[in-house]
């Protein structure tokens, strides 16, 4: 059975106090225990966030990025080992903001996935087309390539540890959400691609999250789709009530 997950990607928002207030508020509100709630906090907040969720099986902490190499003279960078040693269990890799603003190429993403897995971090691997690709009806092909190029070198055992997030770039931070029809279409496609490469059991057990203007109003409809296993939420994860409402939308 694949897990239902709602992950809040805070991006570069919240100072330490604000971030910890948000975590505390989320913890104080009730949400289903079978939904894993993940806080993808800025690096510097991770240790404090982990303290707050310690011992709670339905909460976890993620990093939003990691460096692609083990260690070394890379001033300002943070390694997968550091994140893991702080107690985080997850790391977002391949977010379109990293691909676009920080020029992260497929080869770097592949290394990030490898180093994350080697350090017992579960990658939340993001895929998604931009508006031109969608308008040109190339979205399926783009996502197929993104999966294939960055992930298909993995063994079945390693692939089965991943979480996939479909984030159409045109829906991120725009207020334009994919329709449930568009989301289900892509999620079903992703699952069928995984099935082709890794077989039915792994494809059925891989959580595929939707991201892109997911909020308390539209989450119920999106999560009712057969192949949508939850959300990777940006803006709406910054308000405890909204984030919890999304977690209550299954
Ligand atoms: P928004 O929910 O703000 O559109 O952001 C989505 C996202 O990029 C999550 O990773």
């Amino acid at each position: 059975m694949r897990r239902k997950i709602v992950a809040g990607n805070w991006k570069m928002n919240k100072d330490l106090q604000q971030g910890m207030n948000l975590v505390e508020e989320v913890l104080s509100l009730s949400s289903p225990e079978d939904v894993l709630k993940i806080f993808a906090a800025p690096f510097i907040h991770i240790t404090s966030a982990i303290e707050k969720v310690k011992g709670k099986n339905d909460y976890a902490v993620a990093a939003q990025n990691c460096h692609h190499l083990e260690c070394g003279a890379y001033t300002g960078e943070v390694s997968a080992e550091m994140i893991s040693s702080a107690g985080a269990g997850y790391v977002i890799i391949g977010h379109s903001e990293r691909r676009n603003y920080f020029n992260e190429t497929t080869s770097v993403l592949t290394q990030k996935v490898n180093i994350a897995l080697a350090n017992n971090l579960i990658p939340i691997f993001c895929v998604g087309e931009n508006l031109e690709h969608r308008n040109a009806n190339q979205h399926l092909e783009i996502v197929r390539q993104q999966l294939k190029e960055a992930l298909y070198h993995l063994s079945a055992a390693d692939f089965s540890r991943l979480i996939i997030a479909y984030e159409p770039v045109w829906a991120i931070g725009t207020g334009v959400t994919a329709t449930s029809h568009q989301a289900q279409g892509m999620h079903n496609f992703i699952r069928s691609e995984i099935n082709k490469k890794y077989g039915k059991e792994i494809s059925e057990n891989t959580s595929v999250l939707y991201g892109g203007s997911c909020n308390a109003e539209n989450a119920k409809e999106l999560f009712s789709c057969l192949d949508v296993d939850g959300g990777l939420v940006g803006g709406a994860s910054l308000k405890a009530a909204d984030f919890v409402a999304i977690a209550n939308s299954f």
Side-chain angles (χ1 to χ4, degrees):
M1 266 290 286
R2 49 189 188 258
R3 195 148 192 201
K4 294 178 206 159
I5 300 168
V6 172
N9 177 7
W10 299 358
K11 308 190 180 181
M12 198 173 72
N13 292 295
K14 304 279 182 196
D15 69 18
L16 183 59
Q17 191 58 53
Q18 292 165 340
M20 293 315 102
N21 290 346
L22 173 59
V23 172
E24 273 177 18
E25 218 185 314
V26 169
L27 295 178
S28 75
L29 298 168
S30 91
S31 60
E33 276 180 26
D34 66 337
V35 177
L36 175 65
K37 280 80 60 179
I38 302 178
F39 300 106
F43 285 132
I44 200 158
H45 302 356
I46 283 178
T47 309
S48 306
I50 284 163
E51 279 300 313
K52 301 234 175 268
V53 305
K54 212 171 245 172
K56 300 182 195 304
N57 288 334
D58 54 329
Y59 292 90
V61 175
Q64 299 172 13
N65 180 34
C66 67
H67 195 264
H68 59 283
L69 299 174
E70 216 171 288
C71 60
Y74 302 102
T75 303
E77 290 297 322
V78 176
S79 73
E81 186 182 27
M82 293 169 192
I83 296 163
S84 184
S85 71
Y90 300 80
V91 57
I92 297 173
I93 296 177
H95 194 284
S96 59
E97 287 153 16
R98 304 270 344 153
R99 294 179 193 252
N100 294 334
Y101 304 149
F102 302 95
N103 303 316
E104 293 193 357
T105 59
T106 303
S107 118
V108 163
L109 298 182
T110 303
Q111 292 177 73
K112 288 189 181 205
V113 168
N114 292 345
I115 202 103
L117 287 170
N119 284 283
N120 289 319
L121 292 174
I122 295 175
I124 302 172
F125 188 80
C126 303
V127 296
E129 80 286 356
N130 63 28
L131 191 58
E132 291 88 81
H133 293 136
R134 170 64 67 167
N135 288 339
N137 206 24
Q138 293 169 338
H139 48 291
L140 298 179
E141 192 47 40
I142 291 292
V143 168
R144 187 210 308 272
Q145 287 301 329
Q146 289 172 339
L147 290 170
K148 183 176 160 200
E149 289 173 5
L151 303 177
Y152 284 6
H153 65 286
L154 294 172
S155 67
D158 276 345
F159 190 93
S160 69
R161 295 161 64 197
L162 302 181
I163 295 166
I164 305 293
Y166 169 54
E167 297 209 319
V169 179
W170 46 270
I172 296 176
T174 59
V176 180
T177 317
T179 63
S180 52
H181 181 73
Q182 287 170 322
Q184 171 57 21
M186 180 59 87
H187 283 233
N188 180 264
F189 174 76
I190 290 170
R191 206 175 300 291
S192 69
E193 288 296 301
I194 298 171
N195 183 16
K196 273 195 234 160
K197 172 71 183 168
Y198 290 103
K200 193 167 168 57
E201 195 184 333
I202 289 180
S203 76
E204 285 299 324
N205 286 317
T206 301
S207 293
V208 184
L209 313 183
Y210 169 80
S213 299
C214 177
N215 59 39
E217 281 75 50
N218 59 34
K220 216 175 194 66
E221 191 180 339
L222 287 162
F223 296 175
S224 70
C225 299
L226 204 62
D227 290 295
V228 176
D229 305 309
L232 179 54
V233 185
S237 75
L238 300 174
K239 287 196 189 132
D242 288 1
F243 185 62
V244 172
I246 294 170
N248 279 302
S249 296
F250 288 93

